Amino acid sequence: MTTPRTLFDKLWSRHVVSERDDAALLYVDRHLVYEVTSPQAFEGLRLAGRQPWRRDTVLATADHNVPTTSHREVIRDPLSRQQVDQLTRNCDEFGITLFPLGDRRQGIIHVVGPEQGATLPGMTVVAGDSHTSTHGAFAALAFGVGTSEVEHVLATQCMWVDRMRTLYIELRGALPHGVTAKDVVLAVIARLGASGGTGCAIEFGGDAVRALSMEARMTLCNMAIEAGARVALVAVDETTLAYLEGRPQAPRGARWDAACRYWRTLVSDPGAAHDASLAIDVSTLRPMVSWGTSPAQTVAVDDRVPDPAGESDPVRRVQMQRALDYMALQPGTPITAIRPDRIFIGSCTNARIEDLRAAAAVLRGRRVAPTVRQALVVPGSGLVKAQAEAEGLDRLFIDAGFEWREPGCSMCLGMNDDSLQPGERCASTSNRNFEGRQGAGGRTHLVSPAMAAAAALAGHFTDISEG
Amino acid sequence: MDAFTVLDGLVVPLDRADVDTDALIPKQFMKSIARTGFGDNLFDSWRYLDPGEPGKPRSERRLNPDFVLNQPRYRGAQILLGRDNFGCGSSREHALWALVDYGIRVIVAPGFADIFFNNCFKNGVLPVRLPADEVDALFAAVDAIEGYRMTVDLHAQRIALPDGRLLAFDIDPFRRDCLLNGLDDIALTLQQADDIRRYEAGRRDLEPWLFAGG
């Protein structure tokens, strides 16, 4: 009898080209590229006279700094335009497939990959972006990397990775009304802390995960990095296969059948030993809202802003006070008394069709509160946008007072014109509430799409689990 | 990449946990397509009182006198003393390019975020993990003694303190070798090109759907 193996071990050992000490040279099956973290990598190839090892594994799109307003094919900001143009030139020169602005397939790289079937179970996936953990929802071993590693992967099709510990998080029970995968992952991060997953590959399992759609599993894996875990995983099941069947880059016919036979083995064997494990009963969770400047600084919507005086660790206490000062919040303030100036629905965390449906369902027939200066919805890709329009979701957003935009990363990081002004407060479905993340001096509260929509209507956070 | 062997340098303390890469280099400076020129915008929103934009000369900026990097006693620091989870968040290597451009070659902290940690080695920067109580003691010493310097010896894997104490640190031997010799890691991996091709042929048999025309 063979030793039971974890999903992580199966994926890892399948990709080892060679080993040294506590690291392995892993082969990379899919490399996702975008405009901001790739120009210096292509320049490096050019200077060294190197070519991509396997250009058919590389897929590129422009997402981080692109405008989200209409008629954006000519970008006004010269620096953004230069970066997007450079991506086009690099893809031309090195023979890489690019979904440019104007192509319906363009969008946020972590939305585009799965949508195209370019992310498949059993793959290793690399991108010069920390939220590459998203692709782990497909039982793919996916790593966010820096630009030098982008160049290394382009040139060698491989990367050296330190061996990781595995952390199994079992999610049990049924999600209460108004509680989504976003709330679950925020609760997990609050529990682990911002560095609790460092050096770990997190596998999410349990009946609550099995009940989630692929979109929701992507939300879960997307934010593992906010607990420090570079890799997140969900085992393959029928939901995975149903999502992938018929996608443009998924295998077809007999090859599909063969692939499914292998992919069904991409689960942790019963009795496989993880380095650590944790169980959470999701039926006790509440809708979550971040109050501070780290995603771990998150509480339930019916809770209050915490008091640093209650924190015993001096470094953490100072950090909490700094966060309160930056966020202009007083300890003890009810979360439902916090009033956002802007609403952002979008990002690689929450800009898929299901996220837009959830927000639109809350908005139906109602209007954004007059105290809200701007409410933005930015679909994750051109195809998500088209699907939403086919379902009439765009009308629900627009009728409620939202701006319906073109796809991109937008206000998640504010590299384009969509950013907060100093002091502005935002209810955001994105992934990071760091100081200045959405614009210098801007204040971010991380929430689910349904919560963002409810806050837009009420003008303050509200307990959407009621009613 | 520049080799790293021994560095005797001034230490600047940054007493905050979870310093993220958005703080190290704000997004508006990531529109550059070069690897250089980021140093003036390291910690931009903490270092300056006015909003930073690409191309705005440093001479026109208003320095934040309260930010530690702006205090005269830390001018020219090459060693950054930090807290846990240093470099968390975004994978942007621009954070390293900004640190290097500013002059930082060593970061000492109780812990680093994984992607940032890897990015350090790609840029000739040595990240040193020390136990939290050692780091606490260093913060106190740096605060108490103006001009506090340390000598970081990568070959010997130890840090010499002004009081004569030596702090040993661990480092992956391969990475140490790469830093000591300033090696091009792509060229090193390409020495295994035959292994990679052999591996690739095996995978093509196992998972032909991953190969165009396979």
Side-chain angles (χ1 to χ4, degrees):
Chain A
M1 199 184 121
T2 54
T3 315
R5 294 197 300 160
T6 63
L7 170 57
F8 175 81
D9 287 338
K10 290 179 186 182
L11 292 169
W12 179 277
S13 58
R14 183 87 162 192
H15 289 90
V16 172
V17 174
S18 68
E19 289 178 287
R20 62 159 157 86
D21 307 314
D22 288 329
L25 186 66
L26 298 184
Y27 187 83
V28 174
D29 299 312
R30 176 66 65 207
H31 190 177
L32 303 169
V33 165
Y34 65 97
E35 76 281 17
V36 175
T37 60
S38 68
Q40 297 87 349
F42 285 113
E43 182 64 8
L45 288 186
R46 215 174 271 124
L47 290 172
R50 291 173 176 138
Q51 286 292 318
W53 182 280
R54 248 187 84 192
R55 52 196 93 232
D56 64 302
T57 62
V58 189
L59 178 62
T61 193
D63 58 6
H64 272 60
N65 75 24
V66 300
T68 57
T69 45
S70 51
H71 310 297
R72 60 179 179 158
E73 281 72 15
V74 177
I75 301 173
R76 281 203 310 275
D77 172 11
L79 290 175
S80 295
R81 185 171 67 235
Q82 178 190 38
Q83 217 166 37
V84 171
D85 288 350
Q86 189 62 47
L87 178 69
T88 305
R89 277 196 295 275
N90 288 334
C91 289
D92 281 350
E93 179 182 339
F94 291 103
I96 288 165
T97 303
L98 167 71
F99 297 157
L101 287 186
D103 188 313
R104 278 159 52 98
R105 298 167 297 179
Q106 177 269 338
I108 305 172
I109 195 82
H110 307 308
V111 175
V112 169
E115 184 174 78
Q116 291 296 316
T119 301
L120 294 171
M123 277 183 164
T124 38
V125 179
V126 161
D129 186 87
S130 60
H131 291 108
T132 309
S133 57
T134 309
H135 306 267
F138 293 85
L141 198 54
F143 301 94
V145 299
T147 297
S148 294
E149 202 74 85
V150 168
E151 183 182 341
H152 188 280
V153 174
L154 282 169
T156 69
Q157 209 59 41
C158 294
M159 69 181 280
W160 284 102
V161 187
D162 290 340
R163 219 173 213 292
M164 298 174 161
R165 285 169 292 124
T166 58
L167 168 60
Y168 182 70
I169 299 182
E170 185 183 0
L171 302 175
R172 296 179 187 145
L175 288 176
H177 177 74
V179 177
T180 67
K182 179 64 165 285
D183 304 292
V184 173
V185 74
L186 283 170
V188 166
I189 297 161
R191 178 113 161 231
L192 291 177
S195 60
T198 302
C200 290
I202 295 179
E203 180 182 342
F204 292 103
D207 59 318
V209 174
R210 300 272 70 89
L212 293 178
S213 67
M214 289 314 296
E215 285 85 350
R217 294 177 190 183
M218 284 189 256
T219 301
L220 205 55
C221 291
N222 172 275
M223 286 192 71
I225 184 70
E226 311 312 334
R230 202 173 172 194
V231 164
L233 289 169
V234 172
V236 168
D237 63 8
E238 295 310 311
T239 304
T240 322
L241 304 181
Y243 177 95
L244 288 170
E245 189 166 15
R247 300 264 164 195
Q249 298 196 28
R252 292 171 195 284
R255 190 146 280 180
W256 167 260
D257 297 336
C260 287
R261 275 195 296 279
Y262 169 56
W263 292 344
R264 286 195 175 96
T265 69
L266 296 177
V267 299
S268 285
D269 297 329
H274 294 272
D275 295 307
S277 59
L278 173 71
I280 294 176
D281 177 0
V282 301
S283 69
T284 64
L285 295 181
R286 313 277 303 135
M288 303 293 281
V289 180
S290 75
W291 58 267
T293 54
S294 160
Q297 291 174 324
T298 296
V299 294
V301 66
D302 50 351
D303 209 335
R304 289 167 184 272
V305 175
D307 190 342
E311 171 61 54
S312 55
D313 177 58
V315 174
R316 294 286 154 200
R317 189 160 58 238
V318 170
Q319 191 186 19
M320 284 176 78
Q321 188 57 54
R322 259 195 75 83
L324 289 178
D325 294 345
Y326 182 84
M327 296 296 290
L329 290 171
Q330 294 300 319
T333 305
I335 296 296
T336 51
I338 298 173
R339 308 181 71 86
D341 304 300
R342 298 203 200 211
I343 310 293
F344 173 61
I345 297 175
S347 87
C348 58
T349 312
N350 280 129
R352 298 180 181 82
I353 188 66
E354 191 176 276
D355 300 314
L356 303 191
R357 285 179 191 141
V362 173
L363 297 175
R364 185 180 295 274
R366 300 170 68 192
R367 289 285 301 172
V368 169
T371 52
V372 171
R373 276 175 221 153
Q374 184 185 39
L376 269 186
V377 53
V378 184
S381 72
L383 290 171
V384 169
K385 181 167 185 266
Q387 174 70 27
E389 288 170 352
E391 296 178 19
L393 303 183
D394 57 325
R395 289 312 322 167
L396 295 177
F397 281 111
I398 292 165
D399 291 348
F402 271 76
E403 297 174 33
W404 179 247
R405 295 291 189 91
E406 299 294 325
C409 298
S410 180
M411 204 186 273
C412 173
L413 83 166
M415 265 193 91
N416 66 357
D417 291 338
D418 310 334
S419 62
L420 299 181
Q421 294 301 307
E424 280 187 334
R425 196 179 287 289
C426 183
S428 179
T429 68
S430 56
N431 39 57
R432 290 193 172 127
N433 52 350
F434 299 154
E435 287 184 24
R437 170 75 179 183
Q438 295 190 288
R443 298 168 179 145
T444 303
H445 295 278
L446 303 175
V447 293
S448 73
M451 178 65 81
L457 297 176
H460 55 82
F461 294 113
T462 173
D463 189 349
I464 54 173
S465 67
E466 291 171 350
Chain B
M1 189 180 77
D2 293 340
F4 185 105
T5 50
V6 178
L7 176 80
D8 172 64
L10 184 69
V11 184
V12 59
L14 185 61
D15 196 359
R16 303 180 195 207
D18 300 330
V19 169
D20 61 74
T21 53
D22 275 78
L24 277 153
I25 186 83
K27 83 281 286 155
Q28 63 269 35
F29 304 106
M30 289 165 62
K31 292 179 184 177
S32 166
I33 59 172
R35 274 177 187 261
T36 52
F38 294 96
D40 283 349
N41 304 110
L42 176 71
F43 294 120
D44 197 275
S45 51
W46 293 345
R47 208 162 133 203
Y48 303 99
L49 295 169
D50 58 319
E53 287 304 327
K56 196 169 176 180
R58 190 159 178 275
S59 56
E60 292 173 17
R61 305 292 305 277
R62 282 188 297 129
L63 287 177
N64 174 5
D66 295 334
F67 185 55
V68 69
L69 259 65
N70 292 333
Q71 293 169 15
R73 63 182 282 198
Y74 298 119
R75 196 161 291 151
Q78 291 178 284
I79 301 171
L80 184 70
L81 182 64
R83 293 287 186 185
D84 194 26
N85 201 27
F86 193 91
C88 63
S90 158
S91 67
R92 59 186 72 168
E93 200 162 315
H94 311 66
L96 259 306
W97 301 334
L99 285 161
V100 170
D101 210 21
Y102 180 84
I104 300 293
R105 293 299 304 276
V106 177
I107 306 169
V108 177
F112 295 87
D114 287 340
I115 303 174
F116 181 86
F117 188 74
N118 283 291
N119 286 345
C120 284
F121 292 99
K122 304 271 188 184
N123 290 278
V125 170
L126 175 64
V128 177
R129 285 197 198 102
L130 288 180
D133 55 344
E134 290 283 11
V135 171
D136 274 343
L138 287 175
F139 269 101
V142 171
D143 186 54
I145 302 167
E146 194 158 336
Y148 192 93
R149 301 176 75 85
M150 303 194 303
T151 304
V152 181
D153 183 339
L154 177 58
H155 190 75
Q157 290 181 226
R158 66 183 182 215
I159 299 176
L161 304 182
D163 63 7
R165 281 202 308 140
L166 295 173
L167 301 177
F169 61 87
D170 283 333
I171 180 170
D172 168 59
F174 177 80
R175 287 193 171 113
R176 172 168 160 270
D177 195 41
C178 285
L179 270 186
L180 284 171
N181 298 296
L183 298 177
D184 171 2
D185 66 343
I186 295 178
L188 283 179
T189 302
L190 286 174
Q191 288 174 5
Q192 299 188 43
D194 290 343
D195 293 335
I196 300 169
R197 282 195 201 94
R198 212 167 11 249
Y199 170 88
E200 213 163 37
R203 267 311 276 306
R204 188 188 282 267
D205 291 342
L206 290 168
E207 294 165 62
W209 55 86
L210 297 181
F211 294 80

